[in-house]
Amino acid sequence: MKVNFTETVLRDANQSLIATRLPFSDFEGILETLDNAGYYSLECWGGATFDSCLRYLNEDPWERLRKIKAKVKKTPLQMLIRGQNILGYKHYPDDVVRMFIRKSAENGMDIFRIFDALNDFRNIQVAVDETLKCGKHAQGCICYTTSPVHTLDKYALMGKELEDMGVKSICVKDMAGIMGPTEAYDLIKALKSSVTIPVFLHTHATTGLGPMTYMKAVEAGCDGIDTAISNFSGGTAQPATETMKYALEQLGYTNTLDSAKLKEINDFFAPVKKEFLDSGALDPYVLGTNTDALVYQVPGGMLSNLVAQLKAQNAFDKLDAVLSEVPNVRKDLGYPPLVTPISQMVGVQATANVLAGERYKNISKEVKAYLRGEYGMAPGEVDSDLVKKVVGDDSVITCRFADTLEPAFEKAKAEIGARARSDEDVLSYIAFPTYAEKYFDYRDEKESNTVHYTIVKKED
Ligand code: CO
């Protein structure tokens, strides 16, 4: 059996290890080799990469995509998109979602990995539909979590629902890196028996379970895994590409990866890694194995947020109390997967419940919006008293939230005016208004400097 490899060095590994600070110039020189290494796909775009380009790197994310595409001609480019949230955490109207997909496809994107944090597939439907209309590969995601309502049967049904929606493949996304080998085996088996399309698995190496989890997933028939070239692997990133290739070959599975090319790619990234280690942007701590998530049953990122929050409020001694309140809050909210932004919402609420000495005395704006149904449908039953307390006589939204939104693309286009030079610019502005404007300023400035320089030269 063949196992497909998706390389994450440009997106998830970049995001997980160095807060997505990799500039295009740091990997431009290896793109052709990446293209020729035999990967199934190259994950290179998503919310954080887009945001970071505008915010920190003074790069146009669309231009980055076109420049990658110019060198990566054979291997499909892959992006991560939050369904109706596109790249962020709020819901956008359908016209914006469709325009975003269309422009991404036009600029070179091939595989759209589409997810909704609550697995409310109404929130990915439009993105899936537009991807298919563009003739591209829509990959439907299932966000992995554990709870009394997340049974294998439920997951199998989710897979079926995605297949019926027309997606070309399914990805089980263990964003928190909490899936263990047996869970992976059982889940992939359940999905493989309910759908006929390929099933992929995405996890992180954070807890150290990653390679074992992948191995058992492959044994259960998993068609592909996400890995990172070894210099950017491990810790909060993915298990290493070379290691997984080696181990899976030993177990009799085949792949299309070229070892010599992988070595070349890894050697290329060695000095890049060193540069980030030296600058402090890559903290060796994130490269280690952290098993706290296994003890506390909360994702690593959420745990570090909780610790920071409590320390800031001089209440670090309440950590145990907050950690035992987390599952209660999660139950009240109908067992949402603990992924951003819900993990933070649950963490903040659990903290507030403990510190106030009274549950739900203070409720954050985000949790209120969640209880009104603005994020979508919770996987399980939401505590009705809590809903009543927040929503009162107003009604809970039961339709798809985006159905309540007015079209927004043309309005944004008029708003930003001539500062946007293309529809792509308008989309950058819609997704990250402040940072897009900052980038547009930078671009104008840079160009006026260039023009000035040229004139001066002519006069010489
Ligand atoms: Co991830």
Side-chain angles (χ1 to χ4, degrees):
M1 198 190 98
K2 188 181 113 181
V3 178
N4 292 299
F5 282 75
T6 292
E7 175 62 49
T8 66
V9 63
L10 302 183
R11 207 285 299 173
D12 203 339
N14 173 16
Q15 180 174 340
S16 301
L17 297 182
I18 52 169
T20 335
R21 294 300 201 280
L22 205 56
F24 178 77
S25 55
D26 270 11
F27 60 82
E28 181 179 13
I30 201 66
L31 285 171
E32 272 135 344
T33 314
L34 279 164
D35 192 21
N36 289 312
Y39 288 111
Y40 170 79
S41 62
L42 192 56
E43 191 192 38
C44 62
W45 231 44
T49 38
F50 201 100
D51 177 2
S52 178
C53 275
L54 295 167
R55 196 195 301 209
Y56 303 111
L57 303 171
N58 283 323
E59 281 184 45
D60 177 350
W62 300 94
E63 193 187 340
R64 173 183 281 212
L65 173 56
R66 289 190 295 271
K67 280 154 79 179
I68 295 174
K69 189 68 175 182
K71 301 217 166 166
V72 181
K73 298 191 164 93
K74 297 181 296 215
T75 311
L77 299 183
Q78 183 173 314
M79 82 168 293
L80 182 64
I81 173 165
R82 286 182 155 257
Q84 210 68 27
N85 305 147
I86 312 179
L87 305 171
Y89 303 118
K90 72 172 212 181
H91 285 246
Y92 291 93
D94 292 346
D95 68 322
V96 171
V97 174
R98 287 190 187 275
M99 183 64 105
F100 186 86
I101 299 271
R102 213 174 310 146
K103 287 291 160 189
S104 304
E106 278 174 29
N107 282 279
M109 195 49 64
D110 301 291
I111 300 176
F112 293 75
R113 178 177 282 179
I114 309 169
F115 77 101
D116 175 71
L118 287 177
N119 291 321
D120 181 344
F121 295 149
R122 296 174 305 171
N123 294 333
I124 70 164
Q125 218 160 7
V126 169
V128 167
D129 181 64
E130 192 60 37
T131 302
L132 297 174
K133 277 192 178 129
C134 292
K136 301 296 180 184
H137 181 136
Q139 183 175 80
C141 263
I142 296 173
C143 294
Y144 175 75
T145 190
T146 53
S147 89
V149 298
H150 288 87
T151 59
L152 287 176
D153 287 347
K154 183 79 195 295
Y155 279 122
L157 279 173
M158 286 186 201
K160 195 85 199 78
E161 201 184 324
L162 288 173
E163 186 172 47
D164 291 345
M165 202 185 276
V167 302
K168 301 293 177 214
S169 59
I170 289 171
C171 170
V172 177
K173 197 169 157 52
D174 174 27
M175 350 196 166
I178 52 169
M179 188 190 292
T182 302
E183 289 160 325
Y185 185 88
D186 293 345
L187 179 50
I188 299 295
K189 266 268 180 266
L191 281 169
K192 289 299 281 185
S193 57
S194 87
V195 303
T196 57
I197 50 178
V199 177
F200 292 74
L201 180 60
H202 172 92
T203 191
H204 289 253
T206 325
T207 61
L209 291 173
M212 293 178 274
T213 301
Y214 275 156
M215 199 187 97
K216 293 302 283 185
V218 167
E219 272 183 32
C222 184
D223 297 274
I225 56 176
D226 285 10
T227 57
I229 199 74
S230 52
N231 265 316
F232 271 83
S233 74
T236 51
Q238 276 65 50
T241 308
E242 302 97 307
T243 312
M244 288 313 304
K245 171 181 160 62
Y246 190 95
L248 289 171
E249 278 172 1
Q250 205 168 75
L251 291 163
Y253 300 97
T254 61
N255 61 76
T256 52
L257 291 174
D258 177 329
S259 291
K261 292 276 191 299
L262 293 185
K263 171 89 172 84
E264 211 180 302
I265 295 164
N266 195 44
D267 290 349
F268 177 91
F269 279 106
V272 178
K273 179 181 185 177
K274 187 172 184 309
E275 182 196 321
F276 280 95
L277 276 169
D278 290 347
S279 77
L282 173 53
D283 183 342
Y285 177 78
V286 301
L287 290 167
T289 302
N290 187 331
T291 52
D292 284 347
L294 304 179
V295 179
Y296 297 116
Q297 294 293 313
V298 302
M302 180 176 170
L303 186 64
S304 49
N305 275 339
L306 282 177
V307 168
Q309 247 176 67
L310 288 170
K311 278 186 175 160
Q313 302 184 55
N314 269 326
F316 186 63
D317 58 318
K318 299 283 195 310
L319 181 64
D320 284 340
V322 171
L323 283 166
S324 43
E325 174 63 357
V326 165
N328 302 332
V329 171
R330 193 169 166 238
K331 176 173 185 283
D332 294 340
L333 298 183
Y335 299 110
L338 291 177
V339 300
T340 313
I342 295 164
S343 48
Q344 283 81 344
M345 284 157 52
V346 170
V348 168
Q349 192 59 56
T351 307
N353 287 358
V354 168
L355 294 190
E358 182 190 331
R359 305 190 73 222
Y360 303 107
K361 187 176 175 197
N362 305 306
I363 303 176
S364 71
K365 179 169 120 261
E366 289 80 12
V367 169
K368 284 180 181 164
Y370 176 96
L371 292 168
R372 281 195 300 270
E374 292 180 17
Y375 287 78
M377 206 163 26
E381 212 172 304
V382 181
D383 185 80
S384 55
D385 290 338
L386 187 55
V387 174
K388 213 171 289 162
K389 181 172 175 169
V390 165
V391 180
D393 293 333
D394 291 348
S395 56
V396 171
I397 293 163
T398 51
C399 68
R400 197 180 63 111
F401 186 62
D403 287 334
T404 68
L405 304 172
E406 294 293 325
F409 184 81
E410 293 303 329
K411 202 174 144 238
K413 193 172 181 169
E415 199 176 279
I416 188 73
R419 299 183 68 199
R421 299 176 186 177
S422 60
D423 286 347
E424 284 85 346
D425 276 356
V426 178
L427 290 164
S428 300
Y429 172 68
I430 292 174
F432 301 103
T434 314
Y435 306 123
E437 287 199 84
K438 187 187 78 72
Y439 171 74
F440 297 156
D441 288 343
Y442 164 85
R443 185 172 62 182
D444 289 345
E445 177 122 337
K446 192 176 133 206
E447 284 179 5
S448 68
N449 286 343
T450 317
V451 172
H452 178 69
Y453 176 71
T454 320
I455 293 166
V456 171
K457 256 186 111 181
K458 260 184 202 160
E459 283 167 354
D460 274 350

